Amino acid sequence: SSWWSHVEMGPPDPILGVTEAFKRDTNSKKMNLGVGAYRDDNGKPYVLNCVRKAEATIASKKMDKEYLPIGGLADFTRASAELALGENSEAFKSGRYVTVQGISGTGSLRIGANFLQRFFKASRDVYLPKPTWGNHTPIFRDAGLQLQAYRYYDPKTCSLDFSGAMDDISKIPEKSIILLHACAHNPTGVDPRQEQWKELAAVVKKRNLLVYFDMAYQGFASGDINRDAWAVRHFIEQGINIVLAQSYAKNMGLYGERAGAFTVICSDAEEAKRVESQLKILIRPMYSNPPLNGARIASIILNTPDLRKEWLVEVKGMADRIISMRTQLVSNLKKEGSSHNWQHITDQIGMFCFTGLKPEQVERLIKEFSIYMTKDGRISVAGVTSSNVGYLAHAIHQVTK
Amino acid sequence: AYRTDEGQPWVLPVVKKVEQMIANDNSLNHEYLPILGLPEFRANASRIALGDDSPAIKENRIGSVQCLGGTGALRIGAEFLRRWYNGNNNTATPVYVSAPSWENHNSVFLDAGFKDIRTYHYWDAAKRGLDLKGLLDDMEKAPEFSIFILHACAHNPTGTDPTPDQWKQIAAVMKRRFLFPFFDSAYQGFASGSLDKDAWAVRYFVSEGFELFCAQSFSKNFGLYNERVGNLTVVGKDTDNVQRVLSQMEKIVRTTWSNPPSQGARIVATTLASPQLFAEWKDNVKTMADRVLLMRSELRSRLESLGTPGTWNHITDQIGMFSFTGLNPKQVEYMIKEKHIYLMASGRINMCGLTTKNLDYVAKSIHEAVTK
């Protein structure tokens, strides 16, 4: 008999499971609006030109393959901090931060979660917005923390339930941990406006909460890296010492290279050094030190003026295409004769859109039209192209009329 | 890390070639790998460990998880064992680590949630070899179902491996006492120069019907240190059990790093899948192993010529990157302070640090340290 007779079959990952089902479908009109990976207007993966140039540089330099330090590539971590905080940030210039390289967004979130579990003794509770990325809950749970929620999305309006959020957050026990999406909220695409962010910062400060920002879409949301980082920077300016997870999967298209970073804003540089030492102690028994390739590509892009400029243009290009697809989807729905209000599709921002479709309607889209999305009605707008937006509008109209 | 005779890092020629192929291939992109990793990498990596003719592979009862280096493979394996081995979430299952061992072993299993990490006898300082009796004794006394971390070859840090006959004895005790073998294979090919020879112990355990884990690293044998290429090979009783194990490992991976980095796995998969590149790789690996073996024999012969007190056959008896010289802390301090030769307080030296240019100096320095 086996040691593993009692091991249960794990459920398939809901998000990645959508792609698996899509691959099996033989319908020529099929659309994959599941996983959040950018596609160009031909529905193809897009390798950024600045990435290709950085790779050519790397190939020509013939560097060795020695281990990175546990905390990662220094040029990368410093550039990541500067990208998030802004070059004029007092926190950045004073050095009162530590940034370690993480395994893209997930790995960075997990390092932070483990760090909080070990060193943030004031609370075991992490407050997540309702809804949030499906992987947030298991990440924090596996790190040994407990999950709570605050209201965020209003399904009646398909937009932010601001009063609900403020109400819930004002009641969160002091010194709890609260997770906020910096921009392009996943899965809803609903972000607070700047005035709303100001109020959120004030209440969070009043409740003395530890703020954990997840920034997976800087640049990718509005097309402007500074605008997308506004909330993060505002909170820090208000004296809130945040922790932050960054990902380069989407904004540099480096998905499989796993480039990310975890940052802790500290009281001073000396505290940052102590925090860094503990982060390294957490990382070492996880995977020893991080992979170089993605971080080096990102570092070359961020630190080479011409490439950085080119990157800003390309990331804006991706954001603009998404925004244009949102606009076209709404106008096509109108053309189909839909009487519903689809304004939320263009109000929402980033890769994802909470269509407001119900599970039965999603089921029909999958079964009758081979249009794949997650059960919550979330679509990845990146999967929409000018040649299939009409089909998508037609299908949505069919299941909602 | 390996060093050439010029004391430099060495990017394997086959790796350079494959990297160029990848760089020139415009059809490749940076899309996410599946959670468990690149399929061609996983299958080939496990095949390397278990052998082309492995009965476990033929019987379709193996599984593979691409991980971030050997460390990542150990961690995923440890996290799985803590959740699912010997009951559910049984953090009290004893985990045995050799005395001494790679210092990170303890942390990996502690951070995975295990509460009871113990040592098993391994290094006999007096005779400078394996303390087999102590080892077997510890296994006899270990609680049933305890987990044992075994170094597949080139034990780190002692360089002292059990002989095949000794491995047979170890396996017999482990089978009788229901002890779980978790192999750490960081040096396959790098130790003796032969992939098959270095995998003998793992394959023997498989042939004896064990269910086991093997954490593989391609850091040293491919020189891909910073790309974090590792593989966790799972050998089970049958397909169904292995499938369920993998499905649970997938959940663990998803909350740790979601999916693994693609660059290093591509290099290894491309190399292992092509007969020509595979042959080139084996050759590159043998180059590294041979240089280390040469340094061992050269160091030993110099010490014997100098008449340095003590016996020095352990230097060539030991295998892999490291050697437990037998130098005591005072002698080590002398080496560091007076001769500027850096080694660990344990007397462990990295054989890769030796070159034809510094052999004489190192030998003389050891001689002085021992005779002073």
Side-chain angles (χ1 to χ4, degrees):
Chain A
S1 74
S2 167
W3 288 122
W4 317 124
S5 317
H6 67 295
V7 175
E8 296 152 20
M9 191 63 161
D13 183 281
I15 299 170
L16 298 171
V18 170
T19 299
E20 308 284 295
F22 167 82
K23 282 191 194 143
R24 288 192 293 266
D25 193 324
T26 51
N27 184 346
S28 63
K29 287 187 131 128
K30 65 182 181 176
M31 289 177 69
N32 185 0
L33 302 181
V35 78
Y38 180 79
R39 294 287 176 264
D40 64 16
D41 202 49
N42 294 312
K44 295 274 178 281
Y46 173 60
V47 178
L48 279 64
N49 280 324
C50 61
V51 168
R52 288 208 191 279
K53 285 185 181 162
E55 288 180 300
T57 304
I58 291 168
S60 70
K61 282 206 175 139
K62 301 180 189 319
M63 292 175 260
D64 66 44
K65 307 196 107 25
E66 296 296 285
Y67 287 124
L68 279 178
I70 299 172
L73 185 66
D75 282 347
F76 168 74
T77 53
R78 195 193 35 79
S80 283
E82 191 197 41
L83 178 67
L85 275 40
E87 58 183 347
N88 294 318
S89 150
E90 163 274 324
F92 178 71
K93 290 200 284 205
S94 69
R96 63 178 185 94
Y97 72 92
V98 52
T99 300
V100 291
Q101 185 180 335
I103 312 301
S104 205
T106 300
S108 304
L109 280 164
R110 182 57 182 274
I111 290 169
N114 281 10
F115 177 75
L116 294 177
Q117 192 278 337
R118 196 174 274 189
F119 292 98
F120 189 68
K121 290 308 181 188
S123 174
R124 302 286 75 182
D125 288 325
V126 180
Y127 284 77
L128 303 176
K130 249 191 301 200
T132 193
W133 181 44
N135 208 16
H136 276 145
T137 295
I139 288 172
F140 285 103
R141 191 182 295 135
D142 277 8
L145 295 167
Q146 279 151 210
L147 283 318
Q148 309 292 345
Y150 58 91
R151 276 173 286 169
Y152 190 81
Y153 179 71
D154 183 351
K156 288 200 261 349
T157 59
C158 294
S159 65
L160 181 64
D161 178 3
F162 185 61
S163 59
M166 287 297 288
D167 192 35
D168 283 353
I169 294 173
S170 66
K171 296 188 174 107
I172 293 179
E174 290 203 19
K175 295 193 186 164
S176 303
I177 301 161
I178 181 171
L179 181 115
L180 296 161
H181 296 225
C183 62
H185 181 271
N186 178 358
T188 69
V190 169
D191 286 349
R193 293 190 304 275
Q194 282 184 6
E195 319 89 73
Q196 293 171 322
W197 273 123
K198 285 179 180 169
E199 289 191 53
L200 286 164
V203 72
V204 138
K205 200 171 170 187
K206 192 149 174 242
R207 300 302 299 157
N208 198 9
L209 304 178
L210 188 145
V211 175
Y212 199 149
F213 267 111
D214 182 355
M215 184 155 69
Y217 299 99
Q218 187 183 5
F220 196 92
S222 69
D224 179 336
I225 49 157
N226 293 311
R227 188 149 159 216
D228 289 347
W230 190 87
V232 169
R233 296 174 187 183
H234 175 74
F235 272 57
I236 296 172
E237 278 159 28
Q238 296 307 302
I240 302 168
N241 286 351
I242 66 160
V243 302
L244 165 74
Q246 288 169 274
S247 168
Y248 291 89
K250 286 83 174 173
N251 61 11
M252 283 194 184
L254 290 175
Y255 307 92
E257 303 296 339
R258 322 309 292 129
F262 174 69
T263 295
V264 181
I265 304 297
C266 300
S267 314
D268 50 52
E270 189 272 330
E271 179 179 279
K273 278 265 158 288
R274 286 183 280 115
V275 169
E276 182 183 24
S277 72
Q278 294 298 343
L279 288 170
K280 284 156 68 169
I281 289 171
L282 273 167
I283 292 169
R284 173 79 164 139
M286 229 189 265
Y287 50 83
S288 278
N289 43 73
L292 172 65
N293 199 43
R296 190 150 61 188
I297 293 171
S299 177
I300 289 174
I301 290 171
L302 292 172
N303 292 310
T304 309
D306 283 348
L307 285 182
R308 192 186 177 107
K309 273 201 201 95
E310 193 168 350
W311 172 58
L312 293 176
V313 170
E314 286 191 277
V315 78
K316 185 172 188 310
M318 291 192 285
D320 284 349
R321 195 185 88 69
I322 303 252
I323 291 168
S324 138
M325 288 301 103
R326 290 178 179 276
T327 308
Q328 284 192 43
L329 179 56
V330 173
S331 68
N332 271 279
L333 281 163
K334 285 206 180 90
K335 260 193 259 162
E336 287 284 325
S338 177
S339 54
H340 294 288
N341 178 0
W342 297 104
Q343 190 186 328
H344 53 282
I345 292 181
T346 42
D347 283 348
Q348 292 166 9
I349 192 167
M351 192 173 292
F352 299 112
C353 169
F354 242 30
T355 54
L357 292 167
K358 303 190 191 51
E360 321 83 72
Q361 294 166 329
V362 170
E363 185 82 23
R364 283 188 64 195
L365 283 175
I366 296 174
K367 288 221 156 69
E368 295 173 34
F369 296 93
S370 294
I371 295 174
Y372 290 81
M373 64 188 70
T374 45
K375 288 277 184 304
D376 53 10
R378 180 193 87 162
I379 62 170
S380 170
V381 184
V384 182
T385 68
S386 41
S387 36
N388 65 25
V389 65
Y391 179 65
L392 177 61
H394 173 76
I396 291 177
H397 178 57
Q398 293 308 307
V399 307
T400 57
K401 65 184 180 185
Chain B
Y2 177 78
R3 292 286 175 267
T4 63
D5 198 52
E6 285 76 42
Q8 295 302 312
W10 191 51
V11 178
L12 276 60
V14 74
V15 168
K16 280 190 199 163
K17 186 189 271 196
V18 174
E19 279 187 315
Q20 199 56 55
M21 285 164 60
I22 290 173
N24 295 340
D25 187 347
N26 280 322
S27 75
L28 292 175
N29 54 44
H30 294 289
E31 292 297 289
Y32 289 124
L33 287 181
I35 298 173
L36 294 179
L38 187 67
E40 309 86 79
F41 167 79
R42 295 162 55 207
N44 279 303
S46 289
R47 186 174 57 81
I48 289 295
L50 302 178
D52 289 328
D53 52 358
S54 170
I57 294 180
K58 285 202 179 72
E59 290 155 25
N60 200 16
R61 53 187 183 86
I62 74 129
S64 331
V65 181
Q66 180 189 337
C67 294
L68 270 78
T71 306
L74 284 164
R75 181 61 177 265
I76 298 300
E79 292 278 354
F80 175 85
L81 289 172
R82 191 261 297 161
R83 286 164 173 74
W84 295 101
Y85 177 70
N86 195 23
N88 280 336
N89 203 41
N90 189 353
T91 58
T93 302
V95 178
Y96 282 81
V97 174
S98 68
S101 191
W102 183 48
E103 68 284 352
N104 206 18
H105 277 145
N106 276 53
S107 312
V108 169
F109 283 82
L110 276 170
D111 279 15
F114 285 101
K115 302 275 186 245
D116 187 358
I117 320 280
R118 309 180 183 184
T119 56
Y120 60 91
H121 284 85
Y122 195 84
W123 172 249
D124 184 333
K127 70 172 217 225
R128 270 182 290 195
L130 178 68
D131 177 6
L132 182 68
K133 184 176 179 311
L135 191 164
L136 293 173
D137 211 50
D138 283 340
M139 286 185 168
E140 291 288 357
K141 296 200 181 91
E144 283 188 335
F145 318 129
S146 297
I147 297 163
F148 274 76
I149 315 300
L150 305 167
H151 297 229
C153 68
H155 182 271
N156 177 358
T158 69
T160 299
D161 290 342
T163 62
D165 192 69
Q166 291 172 329
W167 274 121
K168 286 180 181 175
Q169 294 179 62
I170 291 168
V173 178
M174 291 186 75
K175 191 187 271 195
R176 185 167 29 83
R177 306 230 58 258
F178 304 108
L179 305 174
F180 186 85
F182 196 151
F183 278 99
D184 183 353
S185 177
Y187 300 99
Q188 189 185 1
F190 193 95
S192 70
S194 157
L195 292 170
D196 294 324
K197 195 155 168 219
D198 290 345
W200 188 89
V202 178
R203 297 176 189 183
Y204 176 72
F205 271 66
V206 172
S207 73
E208 286 293 297
F210 281 89
E211 290 187 301
L212 56 82
F213 287 175
C214 180
Q216 300 168 260
S217 169
F218 292 90
S219 292
K220 285 85 173 171
N221 60 15
F222 259 88
L224 284 173
Y225 307 93
N226 61 25
E227 300 295 2
R228 316 312 295 123
V229 198
N231 188 52
L232 178 65
T233 289
V234 175
V235 179
K237 274 273 151 28
D238 54 49
T239 309
D240 185 68
N241 274 294
V242 170
Q243 288 306 107
R244 283 180 281 106
V245 168
L246 285 187
S247 75
Q248 292 298 344
M249 286 185 173
E250 206 173 284
K251 284 176 67 177
I252 296 168
V253 168
R254 184 63 163 141
T255 63
T256 313
W257 53 64
S258 265
N259 43 77
S262 80
Q263 180 73 353
R266 262 187 192 152
I267 294 170
V268 173
T270 304
T271 305
L272 297 181
S274 148
Q276 188 203 323
L277 293 172
F278 180 55
E280 279 183 48
W281 172 58
K282 282 196 285 189
D283 208 57
N284 290 172
V285 174
K286 195 164 182 313
T287 298
M288 292 190 286
D290 284 350
R291 194 181 96 68
V292 171
L293 287 167
L294 178 67
M295 290 301 102
R296 286 183 178 278
S297 77
E298 292 286 297
L299 180 61
R300 172 185 170 179
S301 66
R302 273 167 182 69
L303 290 169
E304 286 172 349
S305 306
L306 286 168
T308 308
T311 54
W312 299 101
N313 54 288
H314 58 282
I315 294 195
T316 47
D317 289 344
Q318 289 166 9
I319 192 165
M321 198 179 279
F322 301 114
S323 175
F324 250 28
T325 54
L327 291 173
N328 63 40
K330 278 195 77 180
Q331 293 163 339
V332 168
E333 202 186 330
Y334 177 85
M335 295 283 283
I336 297 174
K337 288 220 160 71
E338 304 299 325
K339 313 304 291 185
H340 311 290
I341 295 171
Y342 293 85
L343 64 163
M344 307 288 282
S346 58
R348 182 193 90 167
I349 60 171
N350 182 342
M351 299 305 299
C352 298
L354 289 176
T355 68
T356 48
K357 289 195 189 64
N358 66 26
L359 269 168
D360 286 336
Y361 180 68
V362 173
K364 282 208 194 84
S365 304
I366 291 176
H367 184 83
E368 280 176 36
V370 171
T371 52
K372 274 210 143 48

